[in-house]
């Protein structure tokens, strides 16, 4: 009952946002071209154009867009009230610390590879009067909007930048136990991010690829459609793993069902654990849920360590993503018989299988 109430609140929140936007009086921006609901948002038009042209290669859902979304999580989740209760610094959450102290934080094991997106974003940040904390969240929401099927994510302006780096050990890793993952997320969010919301957060893996889990195969996607925000990730993580896409034997990697696709151990476990399996399966062929639940949890992630009452809603600067491309399906050569059924309450949905030879997934091009 509580879960149904939460879903209703998410839907109401989205409806109220739309109604509020329609009624808000707009102001003319100094550039003479744009208008905004708040004058403070005007500066973001130039930032948006710069990011789309010079970071996202003209608005592509490529590696830079994927990594810009990834870094939002790594920056924001680095906060620990539990450490603070022990008299230790627990990090500042969504405070831009990973970009302000990259020589420290990008060397943490969980942040391997993020030095590249920090370096790519750095010159754009330097060209604009925007905090690192705000830039990370703005670029993440904007990057997601380039992916067909994605939700339109919130962006709020006015975060305070970090004055010291976050401590190591606050970002979950793919080889962690589920108990450790749940405990870490609950600590960071003061108990809000439970097992169910953990699944919601991982919707982002629908456009994810790994460069460093297996160094021999950079750009390896986590589902067969890494440029589309769809539900294939939730389908394919429940297929029986048969091989490694590269050399195998990497800490935190398990076998995947498709050539060219990589699977994280934590994703594999979440899809099969009794606490999360039914929620995981509920995303299959449910595009609206894949949008709404991530939009809800991204909003709360972006507020960690910040005072929401001091921030300005500039979500109107995030474009409406294009509709999803294609329909939920089994990759060619696979079907329901290849599913490792884990939800005890509901059978796995019946889906069509793509025709042709067994699917092979190409890598996401680097610097795309």
């Amino acid at each position: 009952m509580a879960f149904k109430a939460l879903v209703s609140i998410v839907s109401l929140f989205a409806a109220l946002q739309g109604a509020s936007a329609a009624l808000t009086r707009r102001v003319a921006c100094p550039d003479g071209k744009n208008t905004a609901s708040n004058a403070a948002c005007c500066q973001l038009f130039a930032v948006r154009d710069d990011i789309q042209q010079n970071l996202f290669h003209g608005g592509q859902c490529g590696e830079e867009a994927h990594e810009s979304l990834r870094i939002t999580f790594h920056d924001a989740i680095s906060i620990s009230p539990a450490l603070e209760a022990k008299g230790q610094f627990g990090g500042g959450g969504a405070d831009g610390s990973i970009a302000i102290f990259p020589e420290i934080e990008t060397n943490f094991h969980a942040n391997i590879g993020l030095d590249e997106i920090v370096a790519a974003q750095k010159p754009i940040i330097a060209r604009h009067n925007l905090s690192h904390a705000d830039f990370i969240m703005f670029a993440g929401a904007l990057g997601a909007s380039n992916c067909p099927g994605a939700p339109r994510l919130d962006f709020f302006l006015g975060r305070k930048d970090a004055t010291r780096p976050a401590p190591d050990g606050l970002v979950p890793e793919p080889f962690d136990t589920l108990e450790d993952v749940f405990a870490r997320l609950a600590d960071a969010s003061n108990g809000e991010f439970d097992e169910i919301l953990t699944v919601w957060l991982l919707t982002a893996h629908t456009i994810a690829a790994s460069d460093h889990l297996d160094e021999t195969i950079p750009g390896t996607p986590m589902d067969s459609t890494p440029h589309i925000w769809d539900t294939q990730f939730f389908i394919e993580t429940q297929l029986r793993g048969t091989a490694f896409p590269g050399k195998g034997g990497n800490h935190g990697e398990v076998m995947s069902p498709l050539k060219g696709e990589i699977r994280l151990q934590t994703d594999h476990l979440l899809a099969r654990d009794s606490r999360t399996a039914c929620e995981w399966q509920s995303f299959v062929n449910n595009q609206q849920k894949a949008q709404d639940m991530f939009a809800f949890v991204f909003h709360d992630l972006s507020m960690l360590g910040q005072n929401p009452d001091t921030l300005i809603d500039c979500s109107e600067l995030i474009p409406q993503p294009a509709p999803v491309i294609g329909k939920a399906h089994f990759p060619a050569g696979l079907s329901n018989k290849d599913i490792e059924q884990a939800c005890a309450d509901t059978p796995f949905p019946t889906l069509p299988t793509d025709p042709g030879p067994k699917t092979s997934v190409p890598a996401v091009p680097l610097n795309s």
Side-chain angles (χ1 to χ4, degrees):
M1 187 71 179
F3 174 71
K4 290 182 179 179
L6 180 56
V7 173
S8 297
I9 290 169
V10 173
S11 301
L12 179 61
F13 176 71
L16 290 174
Q17 275 191 309
S20 174
L23 296 172
T24 300
R25 190 172 184 177
R26 304 185 67 78
V27 298
C29 293
D31 63 9
K33 299 184 298 181
N34 296 293
T35 63
S37 58
N38 189 303
C41 301
C42 287
Q43 64 172 310
L44 295 172
F45 286 103
V47 182
R48 184 179 69 182
D49 292 347
D50 199 350
I51 292 173
Q52 290 284 43
Q53 186 60 40
N54 298 307
L55 183 62
F56 297 154
H57 308 281
Q60 299 299 306
C61 178
E63 184 192 30
E64 263 65 89
H66 301 170
E67 289 296 287
S68 290
L69 185 60
R70 179 189 173 209
I71 200 174
T72 64
F73 176 78
H74 287 246
D75 187 50
I77 208 66
S78 295
I79 184 170
S80 175
L83 286 179
E84 295 284 349
K86 296 176 182 177
Q88 304 173 41
F89 177 60
D95 63 357
S97 63
I98 193 170
I100 299 168
F101 304 101
E103 70 285 354
I104 297 173
E105 291 195 36
T106 63
N107 283 308
F108 296 163
H109 189 269
N111 294 337
I112 288 174
L114 286 173
D115 59 312
E116 296 167 7
I117 192 63
V118 168
Q121 291 183 353
K122 183 177 180 179
I124 303 178
I125 295 174
R127 290 196 287 269
H128 302 280
N129 183 28
L130 199 64
S131 70
H132 292 77
D134 278 341
F135 185 92
I136 286 175
M137 286 299 162
F138 186 58
L142 189 59
S145 78
N146 291 340
C147 305
R152 189 178 186 218
L153 301 176
D154 285 344
F155 173 70
F156 284 72
L157 177 73
R159 290 171 185 80
K160 294 181 179 179
D161 268 347
T163 58
R164 57 196 294 193
D168 196 3
L170 298 183
V171 180
E173 302 219 46
F175 50 76
D176 287 343
T177 67
L178 293 190
E179 285 68 25
D180 286 345
V181 172
F182 296 149
R184 176 76 279 278
L185 296 184
D187 172 32
S189 63
N190 285 308
E192 181 190 355
F193 294 165
D194 60 8
E195 294 91 342
I196 298 301
L197 269 67
T198 298
V199 174
W200 297 4
L201 278 166
L202 287 172
T203 307
H205 283 181
T206 184
I207 57 166
S210 174
D211 289 339
H212 296 279
L213 185 56
D214 185 335
E215 299 273 1
T216 67
I217 48 169
T220 305
M222 296 182 193
D223 77 1
S224 59
T225 55
H227 303 293
I228 303 171
W229 191 290
D230 55 18
T231 66
Q232 286 304 120
F233 170 70
F234 292 100
I235 298 167
E236 293 166 24
T237 44
Q238 289 199 247
L239 290 166
R240 185 176 300 106
T242 55
F244 292 103
K247 66 179 183 179
N250 300 293
H251 198 29
E253 181 189 8
V254 298
M255 289 191 292
S256 60
L258 298 174
K259 183 179 180 182
E261 182 175 293
I262 201 164
R263 180 180 290 178
L264 305 187
Q265 177 180 302
T266 42
D267 290 344
H268 175 88
L269 294 174
L270 284 162
R272 290 157 179 77
D273 189 272
S274 61
R275 294 164 290 183
T276 51
C278 289
E279 182 64 16
W280 195 274
Q281 183 178 292
S282 74
F283 279 84
V284 172
N285 199 23
N286 193 338
Q287 184 67 22
Q288 194 65 53
K289 184 169 186 176
Q291 294 173 338
D292 291 348
M293 299 304 102
F294 186 77
F296 176 84
V297 78
F298 179 84
H299 170 87
D300 289 1
L301 176 76
S302 74
M303 297 295 171
L304 294 180
Q306 300 289 334
N307 180 0
D309 294 337
T310 66
L311 304 184
I312 299 167
D313 188 354
C314 295
S315 301
E316 66 198 85
L317 270 290
I318 305 301
Q320 180 64 47
V324 68
I325 298 170
K327 295 182 179 180
H329 61 274
F330 288 114
L334 299 171
S335 67
N336 276 81
K337 65 181 176 60
D338 299 294
I339 288 291
E340 292 183 328
Q341 178 71 35
C343 176
D345 298 340
T346 310
F348 196 86
T350 299
L351 302 170
T353 295
D354 270 1
K358 192 169 183 179
T359 299
S360 180
V361 185
V364 174
L366 302 181
N367 302 313
S368 63

